[in-house]
Amino acid sequence: MEFTVERTLVRRGRRWLTGGLVAIGASVVWLVASRSATGPLMVGFLAGVAAWSGAKDLRRARQPFRLRVDAFGITLQDAELAWEQIDRVSLWHVPNTGEDSETTTPPKPRLTLWTAPGVAFPRKPDRTRGDRPRYTLVDCEDLDQSVSELTAVLAEHGGAAFETAPRAVRPPIPVTVSGPELRVPGGERQFVDARRAGTWTLVWAALALVFGYSFWELVHGRPVGPEPFTAFGPLGAIGCCYLTGRSYRRWRKPLRLRVGPAGIGMREVTREESFFSWQDIAAVTVGRPPTTGDTRPWLVVWPLPGSRPHDNPSYLVDGHKAYALVRLDRLPGGAEAVVPVVREYAGERYAETA
């Protein structure tokens, strides 16, 4: 499949160049009409940067570009690499705040590769921490095609060379390798923790009734209990009603993890569920969460590169997004009950970390 960048670069370049030139003209008018030069000069400077960025994109759109991914390998305008010459290829998610730093902002993916030992590549390598050079082929935001199309082609032809999760997490396996999720008997399993929320709902509701009744009796000249207790009855009733509603919401939408043939769904207390289908999951790990000092086991999902582009990841590790779903000791039965179920459904996607 051939990938192109001309349409995206031209469209973006025209937008930034036109907007920048208009803003420059407006800043000149503002400068002439204003007694202060600080504001117009600042606007003019920013507009100049925008116009320069647009002109840069238009210039890049006229430069030769080729990216073809097929059964042979990856073909560029200046190089051809067979899959045997590629050690690994990855959609490397680059944070907005630094080249390789972890972040919770949505990262921008780049198509990157590592060549096999002894293979020459006519490009300057990226800055890397390891000994093996990493090469960036294209920013995926520049492509006319979608990231999901690129992911599908890499999964089809790349095999195990297409890195979908950090190698420290799980050895590379082809994307087409799936677990036994559809063959596990018993259907979906759920782990729900709502008992304490239900108990507290009843407790706060009972206290709200007590405070409300005591104040009602005080108003009618029949105080019940100590006078300070009855005097603060309205505040106590209001507070207990609020806590009753809060506990009721936690009772109706408790902490819940469900694992089944369709995927993994996780819902925090009172929030909406976040669901990961198996076809979008590269790996599922149980262990210490990445880049933290927490030693308690967490359930972490590593989605396929390119999936869930608008969700904020919990971590960004070695260019791959990770979502820490839940600390297992918060669920009924803890890790002893949850891990066998996750392992059974995840199959070869499952891995344990230190």
Side-chain angles (χ1 to χ4, degrees):
M1 179 177 177
E2 291 279 352
F3 293 87
T4 58
V5 297
E6 182 178 0
R7 294 196 306 272
T8 299
L9 291 178
V10 169
R11 183 170 58 250
R12 190 173 64 201
R14 287 175 177 173
R15 183 172 63 250
W16 282 106
L17 180 60
T18 303
L21 293 178
V22 170
I24 289 175
S27 65
V28 171
V29 174
W30 186 11
L31 180 62
V32 173
S34 175
R35 298 180 179 179
S36 174
T38 303
L41 290 178
M42 181 63 68
V43 172
F45 173 77
L46 296 176
V49 172
W52 175 82
S53 177
K56 181 180 177 182
D57 282 340
L58 292 175
R59 185 171 62 252
R60 289 172 55 204
R62 294 192 297 268
Q63 296 175 352
F65 175 86
R66 189 184 185 193
L67 174 63
R68 179 177 179 84
V69 182
D70 53 22
F72 166 76
I74 298 178
T75 303
L76 309 170
Q77 75 273 11
D78 55 353
E80 291 184 352
L81 289 175
W83 289 115
E84 294 77 13
Q85 298 175 292
I86 298 174
D87 178 54
R88 52 178 164 147
V89 61
S90 171
L91 288 177
W92 187 273
H93 295 279
V94 181
N96 295 327
T97 54
E99 176 77 11
D100 290 324
S101 63
E102 285 70 28
T103 182
T104 56
T105 57
K108 298 175 295 184
R110 295 176 179 175
L111 178 62
T112 60
L113 67 79
W114 291 255
T115 57
V119 176
F121 193 68
R123 293 194 180 187
K124 182 180 179 181
D126 302 337
R127 179 179 61 85
T128 58
R129 294 184 182 131
D131 298 331
R132 302 292 302 278
R134 184 186 75 210
Y135 299 91
T136 294
L137 305 185
V138 64
D139 284 338
C140 292
E141 66 177 6
D142 295 340
L143 292 176
D144 298 331
Q145 295 74 23
S146 66
V147 178
S148 59
E149 291 179 274
L150 179 58
T151 301
V153 173
L154 291 172
E156 179 182 359
H157 300 296
F162 179 32
E163 183 182 79
T164 57
R167 296 195 175 190
V169 170
R170 191 209 61 193
I173 62 174
V175 175
T176 54
V177 174
S178 62
E181 63 275 0
L182 297 179
R183 302 188 298 273
V184 176
E188 185 178 85
R189 293 286 306 275
Q190 294 192 12
F191 301 89
V192 183
D193 183 17
R195 294 168 296 178
R196 287 176 294 180
T199 301
W200 279 109
T201 300
L202 297 177
V203 169
W204 293 123
L207 288 176
L209 291 175
V210 170
F211 276 112
Y213 174 74
S214 64
F215 180 70
W216 175 266
E217 292 297 312
L218 177 64
V219 169
H220 290 79
R222 300 185 299 270
V224 178
E227 185 173 342
F229 175 82
T230 57
F232 287 98
L235 295 178
I238 293 173
C240 289
C241 286
Y242 167 77
L243 294 173
T244 300
R246 180 173 178 268
S247 297
Y248 181 75
R249 290 194 303 271
R250 296 169 68 90
W251 187 23
R252 299 301 297 172
K253 279 192 173 183
L255 178 72
R256 185 186 71 184
L257 172 72
R258 59 189 184 101
V259 184
I264 298 178
M266 178 61 205
R267 183 181 66 195
E268 269 292 345
V269 180
T270 71
R271 298 181 184 177
E272 297 300 322
E273 181 183 70
S274 179
F275 187 80
F276 297 81
S277 59
W278 287 116
Q279 57 264 31
D280 292 333
I281 294 177
V284 180
T285 60
V286 170
R288 186 177 65 185
T291 69
T292 69
D294 193 349
T295 59
R296 293 168 293 187
W298 281 69
L299 180 64
V300 181
V301 169
W302 305 77
L304 280 177
S307 62
R308 309 179 76 89
H310 304 296
D311 291 350
N312 294 338
S314 304
Y315 312 100
L316 195 62
V317 181
D318 198 20
H320 296 275
K321 295 191 292 185
Y323 295 84
L325 299 188
V326 63
R327 202 178 69 233
L328 295 184
D329 59 4
R330 298 176 60 199
L331 297 171
E336 293 77 10
V338 178
V339 170
V341 175
V342 175
R343 184 190 293 116
E344 193 173 20
Y345 278 99
E348 294 190 53
R349 298 184 184 88
Y350 179 80
E352 293 188 8
T353 58

